[in-house]
Structures are given as C-alpha cells and as structure tokens.
Amino acid sequence: MSLVNSIQHDTAIRNVVYSTYKELNVKVSSLIGKVNESITLENVENKPKSTLEKQCNELKGHIKAWKNRAEKALINTRATALVSVK
C-alpha cells in the first residue's frame, strides 16, 4: 500500500511498477497456479493484526482487569464497613 501511495503522482514510475507487477504475477502464477486478486471479507478478517491493533486490544484488557479489581475492592470495602457497623 505504501508503494502504491508513493507512486500515485508519477506516471512513469507507476508504469514501471505496474509492468513489474504483471511480470511477477506471471512468474508466481507459473509456480503456484492462478493468483486470486480479489479480496474477500474472509481474507480481511483473517489478516494479521497490526502492532497498533495489538496494543489497543492489550490496553482494553488492562482496563477491563482494572475495572474488575476496582469492583472487587468496592465490594470488600462495603463488606468491611458493614462488619464494623455491627
């Protein structure tokens, strides 16, 4: 994607990249068979996660764990207060 973005304003370079892509596609197809160029929803859902996505999910887990600990502490504090009142 970064390659495509970097060449979008230069027609000459874009033509070089496109012709190289076609040659590579032919070589790969000769080794493994026809290359499927369509992107399906299944392919997108099974993609490797980016570093940012992994960090975000990790932080979500930390926040959830923190909320659980805070809730348990609140319950324990209330229980201690009830015992001391009796």
Side-chain angles (χ1 to χ4, degrees):
M1 291 299 292
S2 62
L3 178 64
V4 171
N5 288 334
S6 66
I7 64 169
Q8 67 182 346
H9 300 293
D10 192 328
T11 306
I13 295 174
R14 194 171 47 229
N15 290 336
V16 170
V17 170
Y18 182 67
S19 65
T20 304
Y21 168 78
K22 288 189 335 187
E23 291 172 15
L24 180 61
N25 195 7
V26 169
K27 288 179 183 179
V28 170
S29 295
S30 70
L31 295 172
I32 64 169
K34 184 178 180 187
V35 177
N36 184 2
E37 295 180 7
S38 66
I39 298 175
T40 63
L41 183 59
E42 181 179 297
N43 292 341
V44 172
E45 289 174 348
N46 294 328
K47 71 176 176 58
K49 292 185 178 182
S50 68
T51 304
L52 184 61
E53 188 176 0
K54 288 178 183 177
Q55 289 174 345
C56 183
N57 288 341
E58 184 177 337
L59 289 174
K60 286 179 184 177
H62 289 307
I63 291 170
K64 187 175 182 180
W66 178 83
K67 286 181 179 179
N68 288 341
R69 285 194 306 271
E71 187 176 326
K72 287 179 184 177
L74 179 62
I75 291 169
N76 289 339
T77 303
R78 286 180 181 164
T80 303
L82 285 175
V83 168
S84 65
V85 170
K86 289 181 180 181

